[in-house]
Amino acid sequence: MELGLRGRPASGQGLASETPATATAASGAVDSRGFLLCLYLVGFLDLFGVSMVVPLLSLHVKSLGVSPVVAGVVCIFKHTLSISRALLSDLVTEKERPLVLGQFNTASGIGFILGPVVGGYLTELDGGFYVTAFICSSVFLLNAGLVWLLPWRETNLNSAENGWSWDQKHATVPRKSEGTLQGAAATPKARRSEKKVQRPWVEVMSALKDMKNLIFSSLWDVFLVRLLMGVAVMLYYSNYVLALEERFGVRPKMTGYLISYTSALGALAGFTVGPVLRLYKHNSYMVLLHSSALTCLLLLLYSMANTMDVVVFSSTLLSFSTTIGRTCITDLQLSAGGAQASGTVIGVGQSVTAVGRIIAPLLSGVAQEISPCGPPSLGAALAL
């Protein structure tokens, strides 16, 4: 993907003959590149701050004498990363969406790798949780400032007049079929007139209706599988720090290292998806079936583990099985939904995952009241 112009004139005459449209296109390409880099930074800081605190939250809640159910309620309200992905999905073309979202996931994944290490180290200090929470809040204030300073006005202007530009061709020849923002081919005056007619609440209700129709279409079973997979994995991570301390006496610092280790493996697992699919002759259904069965067995193994060696072993393989499973379920969604509805299918899939993130902490709190092994055991049942 080229973010900018492909070539530059070699002579002064070439520079003088540059048309205003070309100059505006170059400026739009630079602006869009800077906009994306800022969003990547926002994603990195988002997961860096969250992964510092959320794994330690159950321990802190326990020290305050609060029930795990209350801790589950507090995790519910963290969904800014989903909003960032939705924004990127709207801004870029369908062709560029996988690459841009992949880069965004990589940036945020690095934050999730580093955050637990920093949080686990700081928690070992006196008043470490409060220091960690203060740093996390500062990170989100910085993130809010970055979002506030993003060139929204310039971006909207570029998208309305020239489209969201990735290269010179797209920038100088606006085309409705390749426009990256909806309605990019329309004039700004027409767009403003349309916004006046179309109330925001009408747009929201229309989007919800489309989501309802899609969820209850022939894809309902695929979305149900995605929901069960998401909740199962989130139950595993929900009380990870507290469970390891209660079961094996592992300190948060070492648990932070283990979380970072599994996160790094999850990132590397993406490179194994291709060979695995080739081994299965690109039968995503069978890969998903086997990865789900493996996830179920590994969650059971983790919940019944008697030593940390078994925990590390199960966590290592879980990093691969869950990554491969997520890729396969996305591929099945797009195959069943068709190319024309790919954007809608991806958006609804992310919404289903967000619902799972809301449900999982509550289920984890209830299961944790019974046993520290309750959440992963319930996750194994859902994976089954």
Side-chain angles (χ1 to χ4, degrees):
M1 179 176 67
E2 296 180 19
L3 296 175
L5 297 179
R6 296 178 179 175
R8 293 183 180 274
S11 64
Q13 183 179 0
L15 288 173
S17 62
E18 189 179 47
T19 63
T22 306
T24 305
S27 176
V30 173
D31 288 344
S32 58
R33 180 181 181 182
F35 193 91
L36 285 180
L37 291 177
C38 286
L39 282 181
Y40 294 161
L41 179 59
V42 167
F44 167 79
L45 292 175
D46 188 299
L47 275 192
F48 176 74
V50 167
S51 60
M52 288 172 56
V53 172
V54 171
L56 306 172
L57 188 61
S58 55
L59 279 177
H60 183 66
V61 166
K62 179 186 175 183
S63 67
L64 297 176
V66 180
S67 68
V69 177
V70 176
V73 173
V74 177
C75 295
I76 285 179
F77 303 99
K78 167 64 191 77
H79 295 289
T80 53
L81 207 65
S82 300
I83 300 175
S84 298
R85 290 195 182 99
L87 175 62
L88 282 175
S89 299
D90 286 340
L91 289 179
V92 301
T93 62
E94 182 179 338
K95 181 179 179 181
E96 302 291 346
R97 186 184 296 136
L99 179 59
V100 173
L101 288 178
Q103 292 174 344
F104 179 81
N105 290 336
T106 300
S108 56
I110 294 174
F112 196 79
I113 293 173
L114 298 178
V117 175
V118 177
Y121 175 78
L122 293 176
T123 305
E124 297 288 332
L125 306 176
D126 292 335
F129 179 82
Y130 299 99
V131 175
T132 305
F134 175 77
I135 294 176
C136 178
S137 64
S138 301
V139 167
F140 273 91
L141 284 176
L142 175 60
N143 245 3
L146 286 174
V147 174
W148 180 266
L149 294 175
L150 282 176
W152 297 104
R153 185 173 180 272
E154 289 78 2
T155 300
N156 292 334
L157 180 62
N158 290 332
S159 65
E161 295 179 355
N162 303 300
W164 186 281
S165 312
W166 294 123
D167 54 31
Q168 187 177 10
K169 178 181 177 182
H170 289 172
T172 57
V173 185
R175 296 171 62 183
K176 185 176 181 179
S177 60
E178 296 182 7
T180 54
L181 290 177
Q182 295 182 357
T187 63
K189 183 177 180 180
R191 289 161 61 90
R192 286 194 296 269
S193 176
E194 182 181 353
K195 287 182 179 179
K196 290 181 180 178
V197 177
Q198 194 80 349
R199 300 288 183 179
W201 65 269
V202 175
E203 295 181 1
V204 172
M205 295 303 296
S206 177
L208 292 176
K209 184 178 179 181
D210 292 340
M211 288 177 59
K212 177 185 175 182
N213 293 335
L214 186 59
I215 290 176
F216 290 99
S217 66
S218 59
L219 288 172
W220 70 269
D221 51 351
V222 180
F223 290 126
L224 179 59
V225 170
R226 185 184 183 107
L227 177 64
L228 293 175
M229 287 176 54
V231 175
V233 175
M234 293 167 201
L235 285 171
Y236 161 72
Y237 284 110
S238 60
N239 74 330
Y240 197 70
V241 177
L242 179 60
L244 291 187
E245 186 185 55
E246 291 186 356
R247 295 171 62 188
F248 306 104
V250 178
R251 300 301 301 164
K253 182 178 180 180
M254 294 304 300
T255 306
Y257 292 151
L258 183 57
I259 294 175
S260 298
Y261 162 74
T262 56
S263 301
L265 284 181
L268 293 176
F271 295 101
T272 66
V273 175
V276 169
L277 286 175
R278 286 194 294 271
L279 180 65
Y280 278 80
K281 298 181 179 179
H282 295 277
N283 189 341
S284 298
Y285 167 75
M286 291 303 300
V287 178
L288 177 62
L289 179 62
H290 291 167
S291 66
S292 299
L294 179 60
T295 299
C296 174
L297 293 176
L298 291 173
L299 288 175
L300 279 177
L301 181 63
Y302 164 73
S303 61
M304 297 184 297
N306 294 322
T307 63
M308 276 301 299
D309 292 337
V310 178
V311 172
V312 174
F313 174 77
S314 60
S315 300
T316 300
L317 294 183
L318 271 172
S319 300
F320 289 88
S321 67
T322 54
T323 299
I324 293 174
R326 283 195 302 267
T327 303
C328 290
I329 195 65
T330 302
D331 181 62
L332 287 175
Q333 284 179 198
L334 296 176
S335 299
Q340 293 181 349
S342 61
T344 305
V345 170
I346 290 175
V348 174
Q350 291 179 351
S351 299
V352 170
T353 303
V355 171
R357 291 193 183 101
I358 296 175
I359 297 174
L362 294 176
L363 293 178
S364 174
V366 175
Q368 193 171 323
E369 294 279 4
I370 302 174
S371 167
C373 300
S377 301
L378 180 57
L382 295 179
L384 178 63

